[in-house]
Amino acid sequence: MTKDATDPPAADHGGPDGRGTPVGRRLVLGMLAAGAAGIAAGPVLQRAYDNTIGSAAQNDPTGISGLLPAGGGFRYYSVTGSVPHKDERTYRLTVDGLVRHPADYRLADLRRLPQTRIVHDVQCVTGWRVPGTPFEGVRLATLLDAAGVSPRARAVRFTSFDGAYSESLTLAQARRKDVLVALRMQDKPLGHDHGGPARLYVAPMYFYKSAKWLSGITVTDRVEPGFWEERGYDVDAWVGRSNGRDDAPTS
């Protein structure tokens, strides 16, 4: 799951090539009971988590510590052990593939574009929901229009600077008004644990589609299954109409 509330990927310095070891779906699902117990324990244990396990998760090569609950009803999930931090100086978002005008965006470039604020519930495919969560950023359609999409294009692939995670949408899905490159969440700059400094946000789909730590947007001629879809999740992940679940649509 893209993990966070099913946030995406995570990643980086675990193997000989500098990437972490991916964490499998079975392990994620197996840790849900521990996560639920942590949420029930309340604010005192939550503060203890933030001060201990929360920081340790960034250097955990197994990714297991990242399956426990984090603040605000969300959870820090990672499909690899750790993720490098990016900031104003180091962050870049690349738009390429079947486009006439490939581009690289810095955070300042993205902030100068028109911003859209969306308030929706966030629904994790594992069953939990964070209601009324504001996201703010640039409509993905704005970046696609600026790039000049080829008539041969049918889909968009997203990659993460964790070195492991990927996602895809059809071109029609990517052009929806409720699909953003998000820079803010809950009316604050998007923090690292939630996929910052920029992430994908696909409001009507399960949260694994909202890839964290977004680094690449590539226009393609077909849908390419993402990290979790290669491991059994649905490519079309509409809340309540996919993955064998009947959750109420996010609103």
Side-chain angles (χ1 to χ4, degrees):
M1 296 145 235
T2 235
K3 315 294 181 187
D4 196 358
T6 263
D7 254 351
D12 171 51
H13 318 298
D17 61 353
R19 296 182 182 182
T21 302
V23 175
R25 181 185 187 219
R26 183 174 298 178
L27 179 57
V28 172
L29 297 178
M31 292 296 292
L32 291 179
I39 291 173
V44 173
L45 291 185
Q46 183 61 65
R47 284 194 295 273
Y49 171 92
D50 293 338
N51 292 332
T52 55
I53 299 174
S55 58
Q58 287 296 301
N59 297 300
D60 175 10
T62 68
I64 292 174
S65 60
L67 302 177
L68 299 174
F74 287 83
R75 302 174 193 180
Y76 180 94
Y77 287 136
S78 166
V79 301
T80 60
S82 63
V83 186
H85 286 248
K86 301 286 185 178
D87 57 22
E88 296 278 350
R89 182 179 59 85
T90 58
Y91 181 78
R92 295 290 185 277
L93 174 62
T94 300
V95 182
D96 59 15
L98 298 176
V99 298
R100 292 189 297 275
H101 310 294
D104 286 331
Y105 291 90
R106 298 169 300 174
L107 284 174
D109 300 326
L110 294 170
R111 291 185 186 120
R112 280 193 288 268
L113 295 172
Q115 304 291 298
T116 296
R117 186 174 185 268
I118 296 173
V119 181
H120 273 266
D121 295 354
V122 167
Q123 177 69 52
C124 179
V125 74
T126 56
W128 53 275
R129 177 177 292 220
V130 180
T133 304
F135 282 87
E136 186 174 350
V138 181
R139 283 181 176 160
L140 179 57
T142 298
L143 300 182
L144 296 176
D145 289 345
V149 173
S150 164
R152 295 188 294 119
R154 297 292 181 271
V156 185
R157 177 176 171 81
F158 308 93
T159 50
S160 166
F161 61 77
D162 74 350
Y165 204 80
S166 64
E167 256 308 336
S168 287
L169 296 171
T170 67
L171 190 57
Q173 291 167 353
R175 289 191 176 280
R176 288 177 58 103
K177 293 181 179 180
D178 51 5
V179 177
L180 305 178
V181 172
L183 306 175
R184 295 174 62 83
M185 187 183 93
Q186 295 174 322
D187 298 317
K188 298 179 291 187
L190 192 63
H192 175 79
D193 286 1
H194 291 296
R199 72 176 297 162
L200 186 66
Y201 177 55
V202 185
M205 292 189 178
Y206 286 105
F207 210 32
Y208 66 86
K209 300 296 289 190
S210 297
K212 294 196 297 189
W213 306 303
L214 185 64
S215 63
I217 297 171
T218 301
V219 180
T220 62
D221 60 0
R222 65 189 184 281
V223 170
E224 300 178 28
F227 182 93
W228 285 108
E229 285 113 27
E230 291 177 344
R231 292 158 174 80
Y233 281 73
D234 286 354
V235 173
D236 288 324
W238 306 107
V239 173
R241 293 188 283 131
S242 65
N243 293 287
R245 297 190 59 86
D246 60 356
D247 304 289
T250 52
S251 61

